[in-house]
Amino acid sequence: MAATKSVVTILVLVIFFFVYRVDTFKEKRRFYYEEGVIPSLSHCPGHYCGRTELQNGSWSTCGACERGLRRNDSSACVQCNDTPEFYDKLYLGFMGLLPLTFHLGCIDAAAKRRTFTKDVMALYASAILEVCVAAVVTLLITEPMGSFHIRSCKVRKLADWYPLLHNPNPNYEGPLHCTQEAVYPLYSMVFVFYTLCLLVMLVIRPVLSSKLLPGRGKSAIYSALYFFPALIVTHAVGAGLIYYSFPYMVIILSVISNAAHFAFQLDQSMPGLLLGCVRDVRNLVILLGHWGLHAYGIIAITQLKEGVLHGSLCALVPLPAFFYILTSRFTDPSNMS
């Protein structure tokens, strides 16, 4: 009985010792910062929480910076005055090419014609005009308004695209909500662009489709009503991942799409594929489109930092098409028997 009491006493002392040491450790590691409005600037926890200077010279409580502002090293919310880099412009161009590519593909699928006609070409021109108008308006309404110049916050890392996942919880007393557009305006202007694309399409396309491609033209419009929400959701969730991976996505998808285009040709012989690219205007335009996308991906990866060397890589753009043509006789299904 006495031995049992001794064991219980020892266990209580051990538990008390560890609880005391943990509390002491937490106290030593406690994060101290000034809460509420303060007279002079002091540091804020987290990577995106900052303080805004008030009219009376004091500083606000730690929180999210206003749109167009970003926290600096001193935790002060300062205006973003960076200019988008070449890679940023290529990223915005890629986001503009996405709806245009989908538009052209949907129009081609709705027309169900193996050759270009005036009616189909007019719908293609309409899709290009819609995307261009939406892009121009988006640039004009982005600060500074009325100018094609963009005032932006520089992208530093992947976490800048997902500040929602980096709200600090100092000392586990409650999270500080500091979610903001740290990559202003690269994130929000894409939403504006997609919305304008949809609105401009609904104004222009129905009239043209009813006159140029009655019956079948509306399916391309219905398809856009599906893929635009899909693009918006994809951008909302994966914008940061797309920002860092779009050059490789462009190259891979252009190669796959190029091979799929050749695979649908009836004559899979080498002369037939070569003559098909030259004689058929539709095939030639599609091939040049694939080559353009492939070159766009190469430029985005290299950013032409070494002009002559990286520019010469664009000479490899026709290589996937020529490789398919040269090896088509080995992959022709008719030869399997």
Side-chain angles (χ1 to χ4, degrees):
M1 190 70 178
T4 304
K5 291 182 178 179
S6 300
V7 172
V8 172
T9 304
I10 293 173
L11 289 175
V12 171
L13 291 175
V14 170
I15 293 173
F16 175 79
F17 173 77
F18 277 107
V19 169
Y20 173 77
R21 291 299 301 270
V22 169
D23 289 341
T24 304
F25 178 76
K26 287 183 177 179
E27 186 66 25
K28 291 181 179 179
R29 294 296 302 273
R30 184 177 179 82
F31 183 88
Y32 292 99
Y33 73 100
E34 296 183 81
E35 302 183 34
V37 179
I38 56 176
S40 59
L41 182 63
S42 65
H43 190 73
C44 288
H47 297 288
Y48 302 101
C49 295
R51 299 182 187 272
T52 304
E53 188 174 9
L54 304 178
Q55 294 181 352
N56 58 3
S58 59
W59 294 86
S60 66
T61 184
C62 292
C65 296
E66 296 180 1
R67 189 169 185 266
L69 304 179
R70 183 169 178 176
R71 159 187 154 156
N72 61 10
D73 295 335
S74 302
S75 298
C77 293
V78 296
Q79 189 178 49
C80 298
N81 291 316
D82 297 323
T83 302
E85 298 179 352
F86 183 53
Y87 187 86
D88 299 333
K89 296 176 182 178
L90 291 173
Y91 166 74
L92 294 176
F94 170 74
M95 302 308 289
L97 287 174
L98 277 179
L100 178 59
T101 304
F102 279 111
H103 273 317
L104 298 179
C106 293
I107 292 173
D108 186 72
K112 297 180 180 180
R113 295 174 182 175
R114 302 293 298 179
T115 59
F116 286 146
T117 62
K118 293 182 180 180
D119 297 339
V120 177
M121 291 295 292
L123 291 179
Y124 287 157
S126 173
I128 296 173
L129 177 64
E130 294 162 11
V131 173
C132 290
V133 169
V136 170
V137 174
T138 302
L139 291 175
L140 291 177
I141 64 178
T142 302
E143 294 185 5
M145 297 184 66
S147 171
F148 290 103
H149 175 74
I150 298 177
R151 178 175 61 81
S152 67
C153 300
K154 184 178 180 180
V155 181
R156 300 169 186 169
K157 52 187 176 180
L158 179 62
D160 292 345
W161 294 88
Y162 305 102
L164 177 64
L165 304 179
H166 298 275
N167 287 327
N169 190 357
N171 305 317
Y172 301 98
E173 296 174 350
L176 292 178
H177 300 285
C178 302
T179 303
Q180 58 190 280
E181 188 179 4
V183 293
Y184 171 87
L186 301 181
Y187 188 73
S188 59
M189 69 184 303
V190 175
F191 291 112
V192 175
F193 169 69
Y194 285 157
T195 304
L196 290 175
C197 281
L198 189 58
L199 294 176
V200 175
M201 182 201 68
L202 293 177
V203 171
I204 299 176
R205 189 83 65 79
V207 178
L208 289 177
S209 296
S210 62
K211 294 182 178 180
L212 302 177
L213 204 64
R216 288 176 295 181
K218 61 183 179 181
S219 62
I221 300 176
Y222 293 151
S223 299
L225 296 179
Y226 283 100
F227 71 69
F228 267 118
L231 289 176
I232 291 173
V233 173
T234 302
H235 175 69
V237 176
L241 300 176
I242 296 173
Y243 177 82
Y244 285 102
S245 63
F246 82 88
Y248 309 97
M249 293 169 55
V250 170
I251 290 180
I252 293 173
L253 293 177
S254 65
V255 172
I256 295 175
S257 179
N258 187 45
H261 170 69
F262 280 121
F264 279 101
Q265 303 300 315
L266 298 178
D267 189 355
Q268 287 293 308
S269 65
M270 188 185 304
L273 292 173
L274 286 173
L275 292 176
C277 294
V278 177
R279 292 178 178 176
D280 193 337
V281 178
R282 179 176 178 273
N283 288 340
L284 180 60
V285 171
I286 294 175
L287 181 62
L288 293 177
H290 285 119
W291 288 359
L293 291 176
H294 202 79
Y296 193 90
I298 293 176
I299 293 173
I301 290 177
T302 62
Q303 301 181 49
L304 298 179
K305 293 181 179 179
E306 299 180 14
V308 177
L309 175 61
H310 294 160
S312 62
L313 293 177
C314 293
L316 301 176
V317 166
L319 184 60
F322 290 150
F323 179 81
Y324 184 95
I325 294 174
L326 292 174
T327 60
S328 59
R329 63 192 183 98
F330 301 108
T331 58
D332 190 353
S334 61
N335 296 329
M336 294 299 179
S337 58

